[in-house]
Amino acid sequence: MNYEILIPLLAAAVQSGTPILYATLGEIFTERTGILNLGVEGIMIVGALSGFLVAKITGNPAVAFFAAGLAGAVAASLHGIVCIIFQGNQVVSGLALTILGVGFANYIGAAYVGQAAPGFDPLPIPLLSQIPGLGPIFFRQDLLVYLTYLIPPLMWLFLYQTRYGLSLRAAGENPAAAIAAGVNVVACRFVGVLVGGFFIGLGGAYLSLAYTHLWTNNLTGGRGWIAVALVIFAFWRPSRAIFGAYLFGGVMALQLRLQASGTQIPSSLLLMLPYALTIGVLVLASWRRGGTDEPAALGRNIEPVD
Amino acid sequence: MALIRIVKRQEPLGWGSCFVLIAAVALSVLLGGAILAIGGTPPVHGIVTLFQGAFGSRWALEDALIKATPIFLCSLGVAVAFRLQVWNIGAEGQYAMGAVGATWIALSFPGAPAWLLLPGMIAAAMAAGGCWGFIPGFLRQRLRTNEIIATLMMNYIAILFLDYLVYGVWKDPASFGFPMTPVFSDQAIIGRIGATSFSWGLTHCLLLGVAVWAFMRFTRLGYEIKVGGDNVRAARYAGIPYDRLVMLVMALSGALAGWAGFLEASSTINRLQPSIMAGYGYTAIVVAWLARLNPLAIGVAAFLLAGLRVGVEGLQLDLQVPAAFGGMIEGLILLTVLAGGLFTRYRFAFKRRLP
């Protein structure tokens, strides 16, 4: 494959990997506090719709992007209420949230299918975009992509280098010990769910505001579930999430290019690629579960009995 | 200090949990009405239309029963897996593979007699669906792969595979370009019971429901599933081959969903086409959880949620409410029922003030 094809493909990989990266980072943050949120797909599509609608009404994509994050946090709070306060099963609650979110977004969005909204366009960074190779791949993207370059290091700093991060991780590793040490575990877990939901909502908004610029039914198309898988692939570490997200972005971009090139392979078989890859990646990551940072109390509720 | 204390219940709540269930469903309907209002539909009129459309006529009840058939079978399979605490989210894909397997036999041997063809279709559907369940079970036990994600991804793959077949190699040349296989031969179609609009598939549900109930209640394997679901370590310690049990249950779960795919293709649609995928596999998860994995209750819940689907179709026709409204209500019901579980497992007592 020659240079003129490879560079645009890699740039497209970064772009289509970005929504998955937002969602994966959000889910990592949530799972670190011990809450397994399988509602990513539902939260993401609610974020996508909210971003689209706010952009359409206000005409301001930045406001829309932030509003999508808030909508994601609100959607995720349902999972928090059901699991943290009402002690519901986390697996089933997340599934319910996905069913609810997808239904809600398709219901409200039905009147807007195919309509466009103002969004984000590529904004090359002056000097950096001139670097051969790296420049066109990483620095001729839109603003929201640049934002994701900052989040993993900041999230790492917060989780590993601050007291609050330590409390959040303690809530996911050993809630009983954390409670004994005076940590408000319920608050920690709620923060995890809400902040995680905020980022997942942003991931959805990337799809409607920067990736497609318009609304269609089932816009997320399983990306939320891929993000859930990538959390495992990333060993629950923000830095590793980047590689996973761009790998999937690459496969999605490649698949689209193959379709556009008029290949003989039927499109339904090409569309299978990302899903099949998810299983493959998951098998590889799970094979030897050494060195992961999987929270020990992930998915387990805290008994409210005193 | 809080004045209310939460105490774990010693014995199950019994009829009280029925009340919690009804309250949860009522709350979901209320919230659904509010969302209807957001969408610009008069809420009270909408809810009344929904219920009338669902249960208000003989035709609606019949349609609900027809739609309940695949949901019931998928849900039975899901429930057996959930009982073992294995999260099979893949009923949708296993159902698709079942329909594909049955269609393969139906298209390959259209001239075979019905007594040979129908069992062959069932066997192929069970094998295909069972395989689709076994693979994630195998990956889970041998390679420690998360079964939730594996089953979900296999749903997408199965649906795309079905698309590939009906858009490509199996497409009916006489379909004017529509993605569908030719209509099955008469021998491959399950007929209706007498003059009713119900197919003999209903009796399959009855038999399989009783079989699964008896399997869980009276057999050694059923007992082992319950033990394994309650405590994996205890099960292993007691010598239960847990790994094999998980793979078997996943295959069984998939085979039941596959059977549902066979019934839908053979008795309802009479061919294979993309519209066979109506999300029954996901509704089945809601049903299994509502029914607390009990086969009889699954029958009731499957009928009610199938009724909801019929009602939403009416809502779509009469008030132009988007079809996604149904999925939303299902999600709401599941969330509220989960939240209501707190009241069935714990009770609230006032704290006595210290003197």
Side-chain angles (χ1 to χ4, degrees):
Chain A
M1 194 181 275
N2 60 31
Y3 204 67
E4 287 79 43
I5 295 177
L6 190 65
I7 295 289
L9 181 69
L10 290 177
V14 169
Q15 206 207 1
S16 36
T18 297
I20 304 175
L21 180 55
Y22 272 112
T24 307
L25 290 170
E27 181 66 5
I28 286 178
F29 196 85
T30 301
E31 292 197 8
R32 273 309 179 89
T33 63
I35 296 284
L36 176 69
N37 186 354
L38 294 181
V40 181
E41 178 82 3
I43 298 168
M44 214 174 163
I45 199 164
V46 167
L49 178 76
S50 313
F52 169 82
L53 286 180
V54 173
K56 208 169 168 53
I57 294 163
T58 65
N60 184 337
V63 171
F65 188 61
F66 187 72
L70 290 184
V74 169
S77 74
L78 294 179
H79 182 67
I81 291 168
V82 168
C83 296
I84 302 172
I85 297 178
F86 286 95
Q87 304 290 312
N89 182 300
Q90 293 186 14
V91 172
V92 183
S93 167
L95 276 172
L97 184 56
T98 288
I99 297 174
L100 173 64
V102 172
F104 181 77
N106 286 339
Y107 167 74
I108 299 284
Y112 302 95
V113 170
Q115 294 190 26
F120 292 86
D121 291 313
L123 189 80
I125 297 181
L127 289 165
L128 291 172
S129 61
Q130 302 305 323
I131 306 171
L134 292 179
I137 296 172
F138 290 106
F139 300 111
R140 284 184 203 166
Q141 304 279 0
D142 52 70
L143 207 60
L144 306 183
V145 174
Y146 303 143
L147 207 56
T148 55
Y149 301 158
L150 303 178
I151 297 171
L154 289 178
M155 193 178 274
W156 179 84
L157 272 177
F158 176 78
L159 283 173
Y160 287 91
Q161 304 297 321
T162 69
R163 242 183 60 205
Y164 302 109
L166 181 66
S167 300
L168 290 186
R169 284 187 293 128
E173 289 294 341
N174 193 338
I179 291 169
V183 174
N184 186 344
V185 171
V186 168
C188 283
R189 289 190 157 190
F190 251 109
V191 168
V193 167
L194 293 179
V195 174
F198 184 84
F199 282 116
I200 298 167
L202 295 184
Y206 187 85
L207 285 173
S208 57
L209 294 178
Y211 192 68
T212 61
H213 290 272
L214 49 77
W215 175 256
T216 57
N217 270 334
N218 296 318
L219 185 64
T220 45
R223 287 182 177 82
W225 288 108
I226 291 175
V228 175
L230 280 185
V231 173
I232 299 170
F233 172 76
F235 292 173
W236 287 265
R237 287 182 210 144
S239 52
R240 276 183 63 117
I242 303 174
F243 300 108
Y246 291 163
L247 173 68
F248 274 89
V251 170
M252 287 179 170
L254 181 71
Q255 179 259 114
L256 278 176
R257 257 141 228 263
L258 278 174
Q259 274 192 52
S261 73
T263 160
Q264 292 298 306
I265 311 168
S267 66
S268 25
L269 295 186
L270 283 176
L271 285 168
M272 282 181 197
L273 271 177
Y275 307 118
L277 179 73
T278 307
I279 298 178
V281 155
L282 207 56
V283 167
L284 275 182
S286 319
W287 201 345
R288 291 204 181 85
R289 271 272 172 95
T292 82
D293 287 354
E294 180 176 7
L298 180 62
R300 253 178 274 150
N301 285 331
I302 310 159
E303 289 261 323
V305 184
D306 47 17
Chain B
M1 282 299 285
L3 286 170
I4 296 173
R5 213 155 52 96
I6 301 175
V7 188
K8 195 154 197 166
R9 285 182 195 280
Q10 294 306 313
E11 61 268 357
L13 188 53
W15 284 105
S17 54
C18 242
F19 177 74
V20 171
L21 203 68
I22 291 167
V25 173
L27 180 65
S28 315
V29 171
L30 218 62
L31 289 171
I35 294 169
L36 274 181
I38 295 173
T41 311
V44 177
H45 182 48
I47 298 290
V48 171
T49 311
L50 177 71
F51 275 93
Q52 270 178 353
F55 307 109
S57 65
R58 207 192 128 170
W59 176 86
L61 289 174
E62 283 177 3
D63 199 24
L65 203 56
I66 290 168
K67 285 194 164 59
T69 309
I71 298 176
F72 174 75
L73 288 182
C74 289
S75 193
L76 271 186
V78 165
V80 174
F82 278 16
R83 191 64 193 81
L84 188 58
Q85 297 268 359
V86 178
W87 302 107
N88 178 15
I89 313 299
E92 184 81 354
Q94 292 145 11
Y95 162 92
M97 291 311 282
V100 166
T103 304
W104 178 54
I105 298 292
L107 295 181
S108 305
F109 309 101
W115 61 266
L116 198 64
L117 190 54
L118 286 175
M121 285 165 73
I122 293 177
M126 288 179 76
C131 250
W132 224 240
F134 174 81
I135 294 169
F138 178 84
L139 293 178
R140 181 188 197 260
Q141 294 317 118
R142 289 281 175 270
L143 302 170
R144 297 209 270 175
T145 308
N146 183 308
E147 80 276 18
I148 301 171
I149 299 164
T151 50
L152 214 118
M153 291 298 137
M154 289 180 71
N155 287 350
Y156 287 106
I157 294 173
I159 294 168
L160 286 166
F161 182 57
L162 191 153
D163 280 351
Y164 161 70
L165 293 171
V166 296
Y167 277 94
V169 284
W170 282 359
K171 186 153 85 178
D172 181 6
S175 71
F176 302 104
F178 285 107
M180 46 172 70
T181 67
V183 176
F184 292 169
S185 60
D186 285 345
Q187 300 94 303
I189 292 175
I190 296 187
R192 307 201 181 288
I193 306 174
T196 67
S197 55
F198 305 122
S199 85
W200 284 100
L202 222 50
T203 57
H204 295 205
C205 284
L206 214 58
L207 291 175
L208 286 169
V210 171
V212 168
W213 172 78
F215 169 74
M216 292 300 286
R217 182 92 169 69
F218 297 117
T219 66
R220 184 197 161 97
L221 267 172
Y223 178 72
E224 289 181 347
I225 290 171
K226 284 184 208 159
V227 174
D230 288 337
N231 190 333
V232 180
R233 284 176 64 189
R236 284 192 198 274
Y237 189 71
I240 292 173
Y242 181 75
D243 291 340
R244 260 185 285 164
L245 195 64
V246 170
M247 294 181 223
L248 177 83
V249 161
M250 282 298 291
L252 186 74
S253 186
L256 281 166
W259 197 314
F262 151 75
L263 275 185
E264 192 70 3
S266 168
S267 79
T268 310
I269 306 191
N270 306 145
R271 55 158 48 128
L272 193 64
Q273 59 188 43
S275 74
I276 198 169
M277 303 311 303
Y280 291 138
Y282 296 111
T283 301
I285 296 167
V286 182
V287 165
W289 201 258
L290 283 186
R292 294 159 166 255
L293 316 182
N294 171 314
L296 181 65
I298 287 175
V300 177
F303 178 70
L304 290 179
L305 285 200
L308 180 70
R309 279 169 169 266
V310 177
V312 169
E313 281 177 7
L315 214 51
Q316 223 178 324
L317 288 175
D318 293 350
L319 299 170
Q320 284 75 49
V321 172
F325 185 72
M328 211 187 60
I329 292 273
E330 280 180 19
L332 274 176
I333 290 177
L334 192 49
L335 273 180
T336 49
V337 165
L338 271 173
L342 179 74
F343 301 101
T344 61
R345 275 174 293 133
Y346 299 93
R347 65 192 173 80
F348 299 86
F350 288 104
K351 261 187 191 157
R352 251 177 262 142
R353 280 172 195 276
L354 293 171

